[in-house]
Amino acid sequence: AAGWDEEQAGGEQDGDEGHGEAAARPDRPRPTESKGPHTGEEQIPEEVIDFLKQCEKTLVLMAQAEEPTEEQKMLVAALLEEVQPHVLALARHQRCSKVLERLIPVLDGPQYSQFFAV
């Protein structure tokens, strides 16, 4: 890991013109500049993540129940509306993807279609 930092600090800036350790080892990818851990990915609003996590218990109960209550159905509709714009980013999120896995089985036909209409 220290090699990555040393290459970025020294490497091409000292006139190496790409002849550093990464250039000598073509099997090793060159380090790239990064603006943060979410470079190139959609930033998920914290309130969406929090809402999804809060709904997880209800989704577990719904999966165990024979018939969901009207309140649970309303919660699923609200949850679906909230996550729809961010569904791909949420699917890549380690914790949120697990909650989405719990959501899918409790969706009715139209909701299922809406969920996958990305």
Side-chain angles (χ1 to χ4, degrees):
W4 289 100
D5 294 335
E6 291 168 8
E7 289 174 29
Q8 284 184 323
E12 295 182 32
Q13 292 176 354
D14 292 339
D16 254 357
E17 302 296 326
H19 294 79
E21 183 182 335
R25 296 185 55 194
D27 61 316
R28 184 172 170 189
R30 292 195 57 95
T32 58
E33 284 189 31
S34 176
K35 295 179 183 169
H38 299 290
T39 300
E41 293 182 18
E42 174 189 351
Q43 293 287 332
I44 307 165
E46 273 304 311
E47 54 272 4
V48 173
I49 294 173
D50 291 341
F51 184 53
L52 193 62
K53 289 176 183 177
Q54 290 173 4
C55 294
E56 186 173 17
K57 285 183 183 179
T58 302
L59 294 172
V60 170
L61 293 174
M62 287 181 72
Q64 296 170 350
E66 288 183 31
E67 188 68 31
T69 66
E70 202 56 42
E71 185 177 286
Q72 290 172 332
K73 289 179 184 179
M74 289 173 40
L75 178 74
V76 168
L79 180 57
L80 185 59
E81 185 176 321
E82 195 70 33
V83 302
Q84 186 61 40
H86 312 285
V87 73
L88 292 176
L90 290 167
R92 289 188 298 264
H93 188 277
Q94 186 174 3
R95 170 88 191 272
C96 293
S97 65
K98 301 296 183 193
V99 182
L100 290 180
E101 288 176 11
R102 295 184 187 282
L103 173 63
I104 293 169
V106 301
L107 298 175
D108 63 23
Q111 290 173 330
Y112 189 84
S113 297
Q114 179 185 352
F115 182 81
F116 285 104
V118 177

